[in-house]
Amino acid sequence: MVKTLADELFERGYEVTVYYFDDLKGINFKCPTKRISYLSSEPFRNNDIIHSHSFRPDIYNLVRGVFFRKPKISTAHCYVYQDFAMFYGKIVSVVFGSLWIQIWRRFRMVVQLTDDMEKYYRSYLRSDRMCVIHNAKFVDRFEPEITETEKAVLDGWSARNLSVLGISAKLIPRKGIDQVIRALPSLPGFAALVLGDGQEAENLRDLARLGGVEDRVLWGGFRENSYRFLKYVDISVLPSFSEGFPLALLEAIYFEKPIVCSGIPTHRSIFTEEEVGFFELGDIQDLVRAIEKTYARRKVIRARMKELSIKYSLDAMTESYLKLYRACL
């Protein structure tokens, strides 16, 4: 989201600089970028607004910015207490979650990604210091870089008339991908294309072998611009236990792909029952039902995706942030 917004603002002629602490790991911005230390004051001396993302940049924005009267803005990308508890445990969640909340209370504005997220933070932040701006993402229509082995598998599925479930995510417990693997034995007409890597990779492969569906799962690993593989997908599946605003949802919308997702508050604040197939977390048969029902309604759903692509467009997100920046000056 940061790259998408920075690139779009730069393309529109605004002066944008992305400052960072850690290596960008191959991420290329259109605007100037510069690596800084926690002692650097350059961002505050050379810019009108400081918009930080994530825990450490927010600390920097607050502490180093104390000597500069520049508007401080942050975007919340998670549910702090809930997500910290899931990753690091309850004690860490209470300590660092509370610290992050205290930091945000000193910011001019904290952007929330969904109405549900804004509701979540009402108990901690002032309502006049929050606003909702949905994420967006730039996508191209280039062909994916696919290996001969992968193409052979996909062609084989096509010859068997298998419909493809697409998953693009970090392979970690929070993403709930095991639910899709567990559902496949009850979905003989479907296969799964899984893009991503992470700590659960080997466990998921073992689960596919034990379930007898190894021949119906293609593990593509991490791919840059994984959305390009949506051309091979019939239904995009997001079985997460927790999300801020999943970019995979946006990608599916832009490519007009039917979506099946867990019925968590984030997803339900973005979609209605008529637009996607919801299922209850942990209920594999409900997931099977949602996939079958969504596939049967795929033509109707695709028409709705065209409308959603306008609502969650890059232009809509950029204009919302520009309006916020102007209001803060």
Side-chain angles (χ1 to χ4, degrees), residues 6-35:
D7 285 350
E8 182 65 14
L9 290 172
F10 185 74
E11 287 283 298
R12 293 187 180 201
Y14 292 92
E15 293 185 12
V16 181
T17 303
V18 172
Y19 297 94
Y20 61 96
F21 298 127
D22 303 321
D23 185 71
L24 291 177
K25 297 180 180 179
I27 301 176
N28 297 311
F29 288 83
K30 295 178 181 178
C31 65
T33 61
K34 185 173 183 179
R35 189 167 190 168

Side-chain angles (χ1 to χ4, degrees), residues 178-193:
D178 64 293
Q179 297 170 100
V180 180
I181 305 302
R182 296 179 193 279
L184 279 178
S186 299
L187 293 165
F190 291 85
L193 170 60

Side-chain angles (χ1 to χ4, degrees), residues 54-279:
S54 190
F55 186 64
R56 288 189 298 153
D58 283 349
I59 293 177
Y60 169 81
N61 196 355
L62 176 66
V63 175
R64 290 298 295 152
V66 71
F67 301 107
F68 301 87
R69 301 186 66 178
K70 300 293 178 70
K72 300 177 181 62
I73 298 173
S74 179
T75 296
H77 293 273
C78 67
Y79 298 75
V80 287
Y81 291 113
Q82 177 180 320
D83 287 2
F84 273 17
M86 188 175 297
F87 279 105
Y88 309 111
K90 190 171 182 179
I91 295 177
V92 172
S93 170
V94 171
V95 174
F96 287 92
S98 299
L99 175 59
W100 207 347
I101 292 294
Q102 291 302 319
I103 291 170
W104 279 339
R105 284 177 176 170
R106 290 161 174 78
F107 276 41
R108 173 64 183 84
M109 188 66 68
V110 179
V111 177
Q112 310 298 340
L113 302 180
T114 65
D115 292 334
D116 179 72
M117 185 175 280
E118 191 270 342
K119 181 180 178 181
Y120 174 85
Y121 283 109
R122 284 178 194 169
S123 300
Y124 311 110
L125 302 173
R126 286 169 45 179
S127 60
D128 63 339
R129 297 290 182 91
M130 292 191 293
C131 67
V132 176
I133 300 179
H134 301 301
N135 271 350
K137 184 175 181 178
F138 171 78
V139 297
D140 57 50
R141 300 288 171 165
F142 295 144
E143 289 292 313
E145 295 182 3
I146 186 170
T147 67
E148 291 186 6
T149 300
E150 290 167 343
K151 188 176 187 306
V153 171
L154 292 168
D155 288 344
W157 288 351
S158 178
R160 294 163 60 186
N161 293 318
L162 294 177
S163 300
V164 180
L165 306 174
I167 303 169
S168 177
K170 290 183 179 179
L171 306 188
I172 56 178
R174 180 170 65 88
K175 295 297 184 178
I177 298 168
D178 64 293
Q179 297 170 100
V180 180
I181 305 302
R182 296 179 193 279
L184 279 178
S186 299
L187 293 165
F190 291 85
L193 170 60
V194 182
L195 300 177
D197 55 24
Q199 66 191 69
E200 284 292 290
E202 195 56 41
N203 291 336
L204 292 170
R205 289 175 183 270
D206 289 341
L207 187 62
R209 284 192 289 268
L210 291 172
V213 295
E214 188 177 11
D215 66 320
R216 288 193 284 130
V217 182
L218 176 57
W219 308 96
F222 172 77
R223 298 296 182 89
E224 291 285 351
N225 303 318
S226 60
Y227 58 82
R228 294 175 182 170
F229 283 82
L230 282 168
K231 66 172 292 183
Y232 298 108
V233 170
D234 295 292
I235 296 177
S236 183
V237 185
L238 289 93
S240 305
F241 285 87
S242 175
E243 288 286 356
F245 194 109
L247 294 179
L249 283 179
L250 293 174
E251 294 165 356
I253 290 172
Y254 298 155
F255 280 80
E256 298 175 12
K257 296 295 181 178
I259 297 169
V260 169
C261 56
S262 53
I264 59 177
T266 294
H267 293 159
R268 289 190 178 276
S269 71
I270 299 171
F271 298 113
T272 67
E273 296 275 359
E274 296 300 312
E275 295 166 342
V276 302
F278 289 117
F279 74 95

